[in-house]
Amino acid sequence: MQRPIQVLNVAEKNSIAKQVSAALSNNSARSQRSCSTYNPLFYFPYNINGQPCDMVFTSVAGHLMELDFTDDMKKWRSCSPVDLYGAPVLKKIPQDKKPVERNLQEQARQCQWLVLWLDCDREGENIAFEVVEVCRRANPRLVIKRAKFSALVRRELERSVQTLGLPDENASKAVDARQEIDLRIGASFTRFQTLLLQEKFKWQEGGLQEERPLISYGPCQIPTLGLIVQRQWEIRAHVSEPFWYIYVMYRTPEGQQCTFSWRRGHIYDHAIATVLYENCVDEPTARIAKVDARQVLRQPPLPLATLSLQKEAITHLRMPGERMMKLAEELYQEGFISYPRTETDCFDPAYDLKALVRDHTQDPRWGQHAQRIDSGEMWHPPRSGGHDDKAHPPIHPTRWTGASEGWPPEKKRLYEFVCRSFLASCSKPAVGFETQIEAAIATEAFTTRGLMVMEKNWLEVYPWFKWGGNDNLPPFQVNQTFMPTELLLKEGMTHPPPKLSERDLINAMERHGIGTDATVADHIQKQLDRGYAFKDASALFSPSPLGEALIAGYHKMGLSNLWQPNLRGVIEFNISEVAHGRRAKEAVLEEAVQHFRSDYISAAQKQGMMVEEVARFFDPWGAAEAQQQALPQGQAIGQCPACPMPLMLYKPEQGTPYVACSGAPLCRQIVCFPCATAQADVSAQPCTECPGNISKVAFKFRRAALPLGYDAEMTCCVLCDRRFEDLCRSYGTARPPGHGQARGRGGRGAGGQRAGQAEGRAAGRHPTAGRAAARRGSGRGSHGNGAAEMGRGAPRSRRRDRDSDDDADNPHRGGRARTGPRGGGRAGTQHRARGAWNGARARGRADAGRGRQPAPGGRFVSATGHAVGNGATSGVCFKCGQPGHWSNACPNQG
DNA sequence: GCAAGGTC
């Protein structure tokens, strides 16, 4: 008799652990609490490939680990935000996940095998590696295996456990890359925006909730805001135009009637419309040219996935997506509906749907319909929407309850919606009889259509959908003639597109790959929480002044790729190249970091534009105005050693000349004059001398030129330039280049660390080594060097071209901006401006979103020389979203 | 005080 192997099985959430244990053990698993509240243990014996096993099944609760910067970079003023592109990052287990970690380690110590049952998607693969890391720390000898399953049904799970494989490292690395990109961009731009704007304006007077708002940036939240602002600009850019159309109405003596639509739709030229109309008036007899009558079917709704449930709940129940998800979560926890976060919109054929239907036959509201399905009279197998996340079924009721009296009304309505929707999806399609009529008057053609509902079927249980209409059509015959009751030339006006509804937003986000089914609602809610957008009484979204100013600011800077909706798609496409093994994680990261760092540098250099945009809507604080006015005129002499902004030489009328970074308040670097090699140390204390809330700046000098360092500390106010202390002290040991000198001496570390980084680059490791050189050269009036350094990046002329292009396109400024020619001139629709933007969007969009598109062909190597994955490389440009080149050589700027 | 993604 073989001794059983001890096997630790880990699922992504308890519900899966429970289901798989039940399926594999034939419902005989013994459950036991663990030290982690939401992750109990299930024990049962099993046999894997003839080998007896003692199975212990447990779960985590999503990711175990979080990515973050090291402690020294977490303080917002500890470094310039641009440093966050190169700062080290760490994966850590946050405090609230410690019990999960303990549970895994306790079990791992007693087991020989670890079987990973995490969801079969990229995030699941990444969590699998987190679990492996934690378990291996407790038991290095663990044998690691991965169960891949396509449905939670017994046969599939049994197959899966007998054919265990290995976790997919590429998929996991793709997630690592995404996390790192999101963190670096998010943190750097959030700090940039917040530090730049937070203190400058009277937010509350401008309608914001908070006095000092957090102005966050994220690669999902900002493109979402971009969608809202873009629509606002479309609306504002719309210029109403008149159009004309011929209106025909016919009423029989019996009272049957219909109106006809003109084949030409609308005509924007009054003269032409009049000529065509007069033709009709001259020969007004209408002749029926065609009668097409046939039976049509209206299919029931697809089984519900998360996003479709959100959209339906918004439309039919008038419930915001975020609220709906909370209630759905509750219903799931209480066992009334299945797992609410799923992409699946098709039922597994093995699923016993009839049993689920039977559960509802006693309901007073929809029980009768359920009975008719159960009897087979109404039964029709649910359609398949073609999506399957391989982990969850579509959302459906799991238990009937008539005892929902205590529930809040919204929860009741949601449960009812899930039940009715499920029953509808198991019902026969509705049957109608449609008649399409074509009529001719003189040279012009007209159509009308009638629809009579013959069998309601699924519509009986689903009251939210209206079908049918115009069923009082006169009984036309081909070649029949009649005299129209009314024949008129009517005038209409084009309307701007409507504001976005939450449903529109979800659709747009889905189309562009912004967020996942589980996070889309959060990103929308975040717009409201951050004060970037409002939702009006009709639940339509419009940007707040702050939201619009942010987008307009980046637009004006020529950095629209930072907010346009394809941003996420571009990131997703590139990391999916990692997941498929076509590019190395490091290469994609390097490319992304380089690109976004360069965008950050542009943004920091043009920060004034952002301030200007915000100043259109919000009043600045007096002190900030005073600060701006009080700053003396300086002369650019190079680039700041700590950030991308120009370093300025200031010569106050009284007092000592000094050199300071122009990037305040993001960077308050002040360096020594005349040597200009010193590192500043900034402490944010209020100035005791001047009336404004200006910080006191303490800074250190270091005379690198001397063999023994010479150090000084001085405290002064940047606003009034008043010194508080001035003391010098020497120190004894010279340090080799590349070691942070300030850090070792009790001064705060940032300055010294930056010095260390800069030296490292100078040693040739990094392509931006020139910066350190410029810093050294910019002392003693070496102006030429500094100026050359400031103009780095795209050639100036090209940048100017791009900016002016963008300005021409920016419709939010002039009020009545043009709508073409991108939109193709006279679009002939009610929403003519939309065509223009859609055209622009389509071109700008990554052929990317979620890796559905084929990989772009061809071989190319990044300018950094890193981008060689497994020989053939591919990906899309972070700037324009197109394949074939990298963003630092993007030919499609703007 | 930053992101987005899992999940309770």
Side-chain angles (χ1 to χ4, degrees):
Chain A
M1 172 95 179
Q2 282 177 292
R3 266 183 64 189
I5 299 181
Q6 308 296 308
V7 182
L8 171 58
N9 299 270
V10 182
E12 193 162 318
K13 46 200 161 264
N14 179 42
S15 62
I16 303 256
K18 200 170 163 183
Q19 280 189 66
V20 179
S21 305
L24 294 182
S25 71
N26 229 340
N27 288 320
S28 67
R30 177 173 62 85
S31 74
Q32 190 188 310
R33 292 183 58 172
S34 81
C35 59
S36 175
T37 323
Y38 303 107
N39 310 103
L41 302 156
F42 302 94
Y43 297 93
F44 58 97
Y46 201 73
N47 198 299
I48 300 178
N49 298 325
Q51 168 71 54
C53 298
D54 285 338
M55 305 283 264
V56 50
F57 223 117
T58 191
S59 52
V60 289
H63 279 286
L64 269 170
M65 301 183 179
E66 268 178 12
L67 197 68
D68 210 342
F69 296 108
T70 49
D71 285 340
D72 55 329
M73 306 297 264
K74 275 189 195 163
K75 277 231 178 335
W76 280 34
R77 292 179 190 273
S78 65
C79 61
S80 163
V82 77
D83 294 339
L84 298 179
Y85 289 97
V89 285
L90 286 177
K91 261 197 173 185
K92 273 200 318 208
I93 299 180
Q95 212 50 41
D96 61 329
K97 290 291 166 68
K98 291 284 181 190
V100 182
E101 179 193 26
R102 238 186 358 260
N103 178 36
L104 289 182
Q105 294 192 327
E106 278 175 18
Q107 303 311 318
R109 275 188 208 105
Q110 298 161 30
C111 289
Q112 291 131 281
W113 284 17
L114 169 64
V115 180
L116 302 154
W117 290 85
L118 295 119
D119 290 1
C120 297
D121 55 22
R122 258 184 230 164
E123 296 292 333
E125 226 57 47
N126 189 265
I127 300 172
F129 279 88
E130 295 176 355
V131 170
V132 169
E133 192 186 319
V134 164
C135 291
R136 276 242 167 101
R137 273 208 293 265
N139 179 357
R141 291 186 310 280
L142 268 182
V143 178
I144 310 295
K145 292 174 187 289
R146 173 72 156 119
K148 297 256 166 137
F149 47 97
S150 60
L152 291 181
V153 291
R154 181 177 302 158
R155 201 178 343 149
E156 169 62 8
L157 295 170
E158 280 167 353
R159 184 203 60 76
S160 170
V161 76
Q162 302 299 349
T163 54
L164 296 170
L166 288 172
D168 179 349
E169 203 170 353
N170 286 334
S172 171
K173 282 185 165 175
V175 172
D176 286 337
R178 176 193 61 69
Q179 290 177 343
E180 197 173 322
I181 294 171
D182 287 348
L183 176 66
R184 292 191 193 278
I185 318 176
S188 62
F189 278 96
T190 299
R191 291 185 192 184
F192 166 71
Q193 296 180 167
T194 307
L195 292 174
L196 177 65
L197 302 169
Q198 190 179 57
E199 305 278 341
K200 277 200 178 72
F201 295 97
K202 299 175 180 172
W203 301 107
Q204 282 178 325
E205 283 182 18
L208 244 66
Q209 293 272 316
E210 287 161 70
E211 179 76 44
R212 300 174 73 246
L214 176 74
I215 307 172
S216 65
Y217 179 98
C220 282
Q221 49 177 286
I222 292 298
T224 303
L225 172 60
L227 289 166
I228 300 173
V229 173
Q230 196 165 296
R231 174 55 63 90
Q232 179 78 24
W233 290 351
E234 288 169 41
I235 294 171
R236 212 173 288 155
H238 180 84
V239 181
S240 263
E241 275 185 81
F243 58 79
W244 291 267
Y245 62 97
I246 302 176
Y247 171 84
V248 178
M249 195 271 277
Y250 176 54
R251 189 186 300 122
T252 64
E254 292 77 35
Q256 295 153 317
Q257 73 169 55
C258 62
T259 57
F260 285 83
S261 322
W262 192 16
R263 258 286 161 73
R264 295 185 198 269
H266 302 144
I267 294 268
Y268 290 89
D269 188 315
H270 186 231
I272 294 174
T274 308
V275 168
L276 296 171
Y277 173 63
E278 280 171 358
N279 287 347
C280 293
V281 172
D282 289 346
E283 295 175 58
T285 307
R287 189 182 61 82
I288 299 295
K290 196 171 157 192
V291 175
D292 187 3
R294 61 201 160 103
Q295 180 180 295
V296 286
L297 297 180
R298 182 78 207 187
Q299 295 296 337
L302 285 172
L304 285 172
T306 304
L307 285 184
S308 52
L309 175 57
Q310 278 184 28
K311 286 186 266 187
E312 300 309 320
I314 289 157
T315 313
H316 302 315
L317 310 179
R318 308 212 158 264
M319 201 185 288
E322 216 228 353
R323 171 85 182 132
M324 192 285 292
M325 287 303 285
K326 276 219 174 69
L327 293 169
E329 182 69 35
E330 256 179 51
L331 287 168
Y332 160 68
Q333 296 288 340
E334 293 159 2
F336 295 113
I337 66 170
S338 63
Y339 190 70
R341 284 187 284 269
T342 176
E343 289 174 37
T344 310
D345 52 12
C346 52
F347 279 104
D348 191 284
Y351 227 69
D352 191 356
L353 295 168
K354 280 276 185 72
L356 288 170
V357 170
R358 212 166 297 135
D359 204 20
H360 289 264
T361 49
Q362 54 192 312
D363 189 277
R365 296 155 292 180
W366 53 80
Q368 225 181 355
H369 192 89
Q371 283 170 25
R372 291 174 64 201
I373 298 175
D374 186 36
S375 72
E377 173 200 343
M378 183 57 71
W379 162 257
H380 192 271
R383 293 188 300 146
S384 161
H387 303 96
D388 192 348
D389 64 14
K390 312 286 187 199
H392 313 281
I395 303 165
H396 64 275
T398 45
R399 180 149 62 94
W400 175 79
T401 176
S404 55
E405 277 69 35
W407 293 2
E410 280 184 316
K411 188 170 167 183
K412 262 194 218 173
R413 279 161 51 217
L414 180 60
Y415 177 70
E416 176 172 351
F417 184 80
V418 173
C419 293
R420 286 182 179 272
S421 212
F422 169 69
L423 293 175
S425 72
C426 299
S427 303
K428 285 183 174 169
V431 183
F433 192 75
E434 189 188 59
T435 312
Q436 285 190 355
I437 309 285
E438 274 182 39
I441 303 175
T443 55
E444 299 308 295
F446 299 86
T447 58
T448 192
R449 177 178 165 272
L451 177 69
M452 224 181 310
V453 178
M454 314 298 285
E455 291 175 38
K456 288 186 78 176
N457 295 341
W458 68 272
L459 294 169
E460 284 169 16
V461 76
Y462 196 93
W464 301 283
F465 187 80
K466 300 279 177 270
W467 198 48
N470 203 17
D471 53 4
N472 196 20
L473 214 61
F476 291 115
Q477 305 291 329
V478 176
N479 286 329
Q480 175 189 343
T481 56
F482 64 91
M483 190 58 69
T485 313
E486 286 182 44
L487 176 61
L488 302 168
L489 183 66
K490 287 199 172 188
E491 182 179 344
M493 296 293 277
T494 58
H495 297 297
K499 289 181 187 174
L500 290 176
S501 68
E502 190 164 346
R503 195 186 174 109
D504 299 333
L505 254 184
I506 294 176
N507 277 329
M509 292 169 76
E510 203 179 354
R511 198 167 59 244
H512 291 290
I514 302 173
T516 67
D517 52 348
T519 60
V520 160
D522 296 344
H523 297 312
I524 295 175
Q525 183 60 36
K526 191 156 272 174
Q527 306 304 316
L528 307 174
D529 294 345
R530 294 278 191 250
Y532 293 166
F534 305 123
K535 192 154 91 168
D536 66 19
S538 330
L540 299 176
F541 284 79
S542 47
S544 72
L546 172 59
E548 186 175 342
L550 288 176
I551 301 298
Y554 288 119
H555 184 87
K556 214 173 163 190
M557 294 173 186
L559 295 171
S560 287
N561 53 313
L562 287 175
W563 63 263
Q564 275 174 348
N566 65 342
L567 173 69
R568 192 70 193 165
V570 170
I571 296 173
E572 285 288 327
F573 187 94
N574 284 313
I575 64 159
S576 73
E577 294 298 290
V578 177
H580 294 133
R582 291 192 280 263
R583 288 185 77 188
K585 176 185 118 178
E586 292 72 22
V588 168
L589 269 175
E590 163 83 17
E591 164 82 358
V593 163
Q594 257 202 43
H595 169 70
F596 288 108
R597 183 199 273 126
S598 110
D599 274 357
Y600 178 88
I601 290 171
S602 293
Q605 286 168 342
K606 300 174 185 169
Q607 56 180 265
M609 295 181 180
M610 178 71 82
V611 178
E612 275 170 31
E613 284 302 317
V614 178
R616 293 172 54 217
F617 302 106
F618 295 92
D619 289 334
W621 284 106
E625 287 168 318
Q627 182 187 11
Q628 278 177 359
Q629 285 162 12
L631 277 177
Q633 289 298 308
Q635 177 191 1
I637 57 159
Q639 192 194 320
C640 174
C643 84
M645 297 299 286
L647 198 61
M648 308 295 277
L649 167 64
Y650 297 105
K651 292 180 178 164
E653 280 176 23
Q654 294 168 346
T656 324
Y658 63 98
V659 179
C661 174
S662 57
L666 298 174
C667 173
R668 298 204 177 149
Q669 193 84 351
I670 294 192
V671 297
C672 173
F673 180 80
C675 84
T677 54
Q679 298 293 316
D681 191 1
V682 181
S683 63
Q685 295 164 20
C687 175
T688 56
E689 291 296 306
C690 63
N693 47 356
I694 303 301
S695 296
K696 192 161 125 180
V697 176
F699 54 98
K700 292 182 193 304
F701 298 97
R702 179 174 64 83
R703 292 228 170 143
L706 297 177
L708 290 180
Y710 178 81
D711 199 30
E713 278 183 4
M714 183 169 83
T715 311
C716 85
C717 171
V718 269
L719 172 58
C720 60
D721 195 35
R722 186 187 164 91
R723 291 181 182 203
F724 294 97
E725 295 167 46
D726 193 352
L727 59 101
C728 303
R729 63 165 189 251
S730 62
Y731 73 94
T733 322
R735 283 151 216 267
H739 289 75
Q741 304 199 4
R743 177 183 264 185
R745 282 179 290 107
R748 274 182 343 98
Q753 190 185 14
R754 282 194 291 267
Q757 282 171 359
E759 295 292 349
R761 290 180 201 130
R765 255 197 306 113
H766 199 282
T768 56
R771 184 187 299 178
R775 204 187 76 214
R776 277 188 230 102
S778 62
R780 302 221 155 85
S782 174
H783 299 180
N785 246 351
E789 190 61 13
M790 281 161 53
R792 258 187 346 190
R796 196 164 280 275
S797 60
R798 195 201 292 167
R799 275 192 312 210
R800 202 176 298 124
D801 288 344
R802 190 183 62 201
D803 289 350
S804 54
D805 274 349
D806 279 346
D807 278 342
D809 257 356
N810 182 352
H812 79 289
R813 283 299 198 144
R816 309 188 103 219
R818 64 186 173 93
T819 57
R822 279 183 176 180
R826 300 196 150 226
T829 73
Q830 296 259 311
H831 313 311
R832 308 189 64 201
R834 194 188 289 179
W837 283 94
N838 281 344
R841 251 187 242 161
R843 256 191 302 287
R845 185 163 62 227
D847 294 333
R850 300 190 176 173
R852 277 193 288 267
Q853 307 296 327
R859 293 165 64 92
F860 40 89
V861 178
S862 89
T864 66
H866 278 283
V868 185
N870 301 336
T873 64
S874 53
V876 296
C877 169
F878 277 102
K879 191 173 283 297
C880 71
Q882 298 297 319
H885 62 271
W886 307 100
S887 38
N888 52 3
C890 178
N892 305 322
Q893 295 184 20

